[in-house]
Amino acid sequence: MDESTRKYLAEIGRRGGRKSRRRLDPETAREMVRVREARRAFREFYATCFWSYRPDLQIGLNDVEWVAETLRRNGNLAAWQAASRLCR
């Protein structure tokens, strides 16, 4: 391995080992998790619950309740359970 490659990999490893500098309050962290879970549910249940919407629809914090409602209205038991996890 040449010297430039070794330095590059060392820098990547050094960056990965540093502690994150981002500071989130607990409420913001919970909101981020809810949005991530809503996006995952949208992708997972797209064919059964969200087929009439664009597949690349951007789900944000304001859309989490809509995703949960649509999962309950159009989905099966697994979709219902995913919706209940979103509303905690």
Side-chain angles (χ1 to χ4, degrees):
M1 178 179 324
D2 65 9
E3 186 64 25
S4 64
T5 305
R6 194 155 41 94
K7 284 182 180 180
Y8 173 73
L9 292 175
E11 178 61 29
I12 289 175
R14 188 171 23 262
R15 271 192 248 151
R18 292 185 196 147
K19 187 176 177 183
S20 174
R21 290 182 176 90
R22 182 174 15 183
R23 302 278 185 236
L24 293 177
D25 60 291
E27 183 61 30
T28 304
R30 280 191 288 274
E31 289 173 353
M32 287 175 64
V33 169
R34 286 183 73 210
V35 170
R36 184 175 62 227
E37 292 299 318
R39 288 175 179 168
R40 182 177 294 142
F42 181 83
R43 285 190 310 270
E44 183 178 345
F45 296 103
Y46 180 79
T48 57
C49 300
F50 301 102
W51 56 268
S52 62
Y53 298 95
R54 292 186 350 244
D56 62 342
L57 184 67
Q58 289 295 317
I59 304 296
L61 183 59
N62 295 331
D63 301 318
V64 173
E65 296 299 323
W66 169 78
V67 169
E69 177 186 331
T70 306
L71 287 169
R72 285 188 177 126
R73 189 170 359 107
N74 300 326
N76 56 12
L77 177 62
W80 185 272
Q81 291 168 342
S84 67
R85 283 191 304 271
L86 288 176
C87 294
R88 287 185 186 167

